Amino acid sequence: MRDAKPNKGKTAAEASAERTSGIRRADAARMPGSSVHASLANEIGLRIVRGDYPPGTILPNEAKWSETFDVSRSAVREAIKMLMAKSLLASRPKIGSWVEPKERWNLLDRDVLAWYATSPDREVFLRTVQEFRHIIEPEASAFAAMRRTDEQMAEISQACREMGEATNLQERTRADTRFHLAILRASGNDLLVPLGVLIESAFDHLFAYTTRELDDLQHAQRLHEAIEKSIRLQRPDAARNAVRKLLANTDSVIKSR
């Protein structure tokens, strides 16, 4: 499969900052279709999550941000509001905005997850996602084996097949994410469906990383196929065990890097 290894020229955080920053700088072009305040929020949010501004730090005021990034003060205000809504920042008159403690951050927010995934604490992020998967996925797969509809099974099978047919990293990652989200939907638990949507970007980042680092993609594919088969044959115990084998394989990839 092509695209097997990441770009060695830049760190993930640098690459993400370049791709997503919408403020007017020489080293980061504006994101197509993105508003100035959303792009500015993305840049500041990324800096917060990767540790440039630790919790408790008082951020520059509107005038300083406006000067630094060559944007209007109204754009700065809207960007700060967006980050407050994600619980990264708090603000008070005459004090300004400051970075909230990490435990208050909304880590289920898509943007925050994306910033977290490209921070220097990437390994912590990967382990966190894996722990979530250990808690949720084995039982979700067992329920899917008992409750899945024919339509849901077709979705799971198609995603599994597309993983094996993928010709590049992006195709395989997206198919991998669809596979696992389809299983959550097939579990029949109403709480798992919105939860799956919320963590979709976390899955994307995790699977992109592990796919790049895997030494044996065919082995990983067989592990996914075992899950698909167990759900298709409606064998909950086998599905649960198949997921645990897959998770153990992913754990070994993360620990070895």
Side-chain angles (χ1 to χ4, degrees):
M1 189 176 77
R2 296 190 297 272
D3 296 344
K5 293 295 178 183
N7 187 336
K8 301 294 185 182
K10 300 174 184 175
T11 66
E14 289 169 342
S16 176
E18 271 197 12
R19 286 195 305 271
T20 57
S21 175
I23 40 93
R24 293 190 287 275
R25 298 184 309 170
D27 62 341
R30 180 168 172 181
M31 187 177 177
S34 175
S35 65
V36 173
H37 71 267
S39 297
L40 180 58
N42 190 85
E43 175 67 17
I44 298 173
L46 176 62
R47 293 183 179 197
I48 291 171
V49 173
R50 74 186 182 196
D52 293 2
Y53 300 108
T57 302
I58 302 294
L59 294 183
N61 59 27
E62 286 182 11
K64 184 62 177 177
W65 282 130
S66 179
E67 177 185 354
T68 299
F69 296 119
D70 187 22
V71 296
S72 68
R73 290 196 180 191
S74 63
V76 174
R77 282 193 294 273
E78 290 303 314
I80 297 300
K81 287 179 183 177
M82 289 180 66
L83 296 173
M84 289 175 64
K86 300 176 189 297
S87 300
L88 266 67
L89 297 179
S91 182
R92 188 173 298 169
K94 298 183 180 180
I95 296 178
S97 301
W98 66 88
V99 179
E100 287 278 66
K102 185 176 180 180
E103 56 267 23
R104 295 186 184 176
W105 298 353
N106 181 7
L107 291 179
L108 291 180
D109 181 273
R110 284 174 175 268
D111 292 332
V112 179
L113 276 172
W115 301 330
Y116 191 12
T118 59
S119 73
D121 288 335
R122 170 186 281 196
E123 290 186 9
V124 174
F125 166 79
L126 295 175
R127 288 196 298 271
T128 300
V129 177
Q130 270 299 98
E131 287 176 1
F132 171 87
R133 298 181 68 202
H134 277 282
I135 295 168
I136 298 295
E137 289 197 57
E139 294 307 315
S141 298
F143 279 123
M146 293 186 285
R147 298 171 175 174
R148 57 85 175 161
T149 64
D150 290 343
E151 182 179 351
Q152 289 169 335
M153 190 66 240
E155 184 180 11
I156 294 169
S157 298
Q158 180 178 351
C160 187
R161 184 171 58 254
E162 289 177 356
M163 282 184 63
E165 297 172 350
T167 59
N168 58 58
L169 176 63
Q170 184 177 20
E171 285 181 7
R172 185 177 176 89
T173 297
R174 292 305 300 151
D176 201 348
T177 299
R178 287 196 304 273
F179 177 79
H180 291 278
L181 294 183
I183 291 174
L184 293 184
R185 287 191 291 271
S187 73
N189 186 294
D190 290 341
L191 291 179
L192 289 183
V193 176
L195 185 58
V197 173
L198 284 171
I199 64 168
E200 182 176 356
S201 65
F203 278 2
D204 279 347
H205 286 286
L206 173 65
F207 298 151
Y209 174 83
T210 54
T211 299
R212 282 195 300 262
E213 301 297 331
L214 277 171
D215 295 322
D216 189 350
L217 283 177
Q218 291 303 314
H219 176 62
Q221 181 64 25
R222 288 192 295 271
L223 292 173
H224 284 82
E225 290 170 355
I227 298 170
E228 187 274 344
K229 180 179 179 180
S230 298
I231 295 174
R232 175 163 40 83
L233 297 179
Q234 298 184 298
R235 297 174 178 171
D237 289 338
R240 185 185 294 112
N241 291 332
V243 170
R244 286 173 176 159
K245 288 180 181 179
L246 175 65
L247 292 174
N249 185 63
T250 305
D251 288 341
S252 67
V253 173
I254 294 173
K255 290 176 182 177
S256 67
R257 297 300 186 264

